[in-house]
Amino acid sequence: MEYGEVINAFELMQKAVGAGIVILIFGVLFGIASIFSVYTFAVWLALMFIASAYPVYLMWKAFSLLHRNFDSVLYRYAAYVLLIVIVAMPVIGVVLAAYLISVAWGLQRPPVPGSDLGVRLVLWLVGVLFGAFWYRVWKQVETDTNVDTFGIVALLTILSAVLSPVSLISDLLDLAFLIVLYFAAGKAKDVFEDALLSQYRKEGNQHDLHK
């Protein structure tokens, strides 16, 4: 195990959380200003999806490093999933923005209220499966780091997925997820920094014995 790479992985997680919160704050501010025009709202939506790919990229780098230093195949799958999300998010943002503009121009009809119930159900099921996958990933991180806080991260992940139809509760859980993940990653970083320091001391003592 390369302790330096593992430490870097958890630093990247903290950077991803920080970037996500900054994007969220600016997104809310510009989103409020953009609701008065469908065109500015469409542009805002596309930019939010594109910008959100950056913290996902940082998480992808983090899990790629964890995969190189731990045996669990879950880290490799997590890196694959995050890579797909990085590519998909800008595309989805642009497609949604184009759809809103086409509705505003009258090129497409808006959906009839209630007609998308089946789609919402499918998306909810996909979200729950996605949340269950990440629950397993974060529990594995908890096992590998001995940092119990990652267990809370895992619980918040699955709760947010299950309660996603209730927007306010889901949003609060997502915010709690980011905050708890930041502190969990910090604790894990401290654990492996202590392990690296212990390794240096052990190597130094062995070097002194051979003098």
Side-chain angles (χ1 to χ4, degrees):
M1 177 188 295
E2 290 289 338
Y3 288 121
E5 288 189 350
V6 176
I7 292 167
N8 189 27
F10 291 110
E11 286 178 345
L12 286 167
M13 285 187 188
Q14 289 186 304
K15 289 179 181 178
V17 171
I21 291 175
V22 170
I23 291 170
L24 180 63
I25 292 172
F26 279 97
V28 170
L29 294 176
F30 286 109
I32 293 172
S34 69
I35 61 175
F36 300 104
S37 168
V38 66
Y39 303 109
T40 54
F41 180 76
V43 171
W44 167 82
L45 186 65
L47 290 176
M48 280 295 294
F49 271 86
I50 293 170
S52 297
Y54 177 66
V56 179
Y57 165 75
L58 295 177
M59 292 296 290
W60 169 75
K61 288 183 66 177
F63 277 100
S64 297
L65 290 173
L66 292 181
H67 167 57
R68 276 163 43 176
N69 288 277
F70 292 96
D71 295 330
S72 177
V73 72
L74 283 172
Y75 298 145
R76 182 176 66 184
Y77 293 153
Y80 287 158
V81 168
L82 290 168
L83 186 59
I84 293 171
V85 172
I86 291 169
V87 175
M89 288 188 74
V91 175
I92 293 172
V94 171
V95 169
L96 288 175
Y99 172 75
L100 288 174
I101 292 173
S102 67
V103 170
W105 286 352
L107 300 177
Q108 294 192 49
R109 294 179 181 178
V112 178
S115 64
D116 60 345
L117 186 59
V119 175
R120 290 184 180 183
L121 179 60
V122 171
L123 291 176
W124 177 77
L125 289 173
V126 171
V128 170
L129 290 174
F130 196 70
F133 166 75
W134 281 105
Y135 175 85
R136 289 192 61 194
V137 171
W138 293 121
K139 290 297 288 184
Q140 184 63 49
V141 177
E142 179 188 16
T143 299
D144 289 334
T145 61
N146 289 321
V147 175
D148 295 340
T149 316
F150 279 111
I152 302 175
V153 173
L155 182 61
L156 290 171
T157 302
I158 192 65
L159 284 176
S160 177
V162 172
L163 298 174
S164 58
V166 187
S167 298
L168 179 60
I169 295 177
S170 180
D171 291 343
L172 290 174
L173 288 171
D174 288 340
L175 180 60
F177 165 83
L178 291 174
I179 295 171
V180 176
L181 176 58
Y182 184 89
F183 287 107
K187 289 181 180 179
K189 186 177 70 172
D190 292 341
V191 168
F192 288 99
E193 283 178 344
D194 290 342
L196 180 60
L197 182 60
S198 177
Q199 183 185 59
Y200 284 154
R201 287 173 176 170
K202 183 177 179 181
E203 290 175 352
N205 291 336
Q206 289 177 347
H207 179 71
D208 291 340
L209 289 174
H210 290 297
K211 284 184 177 180

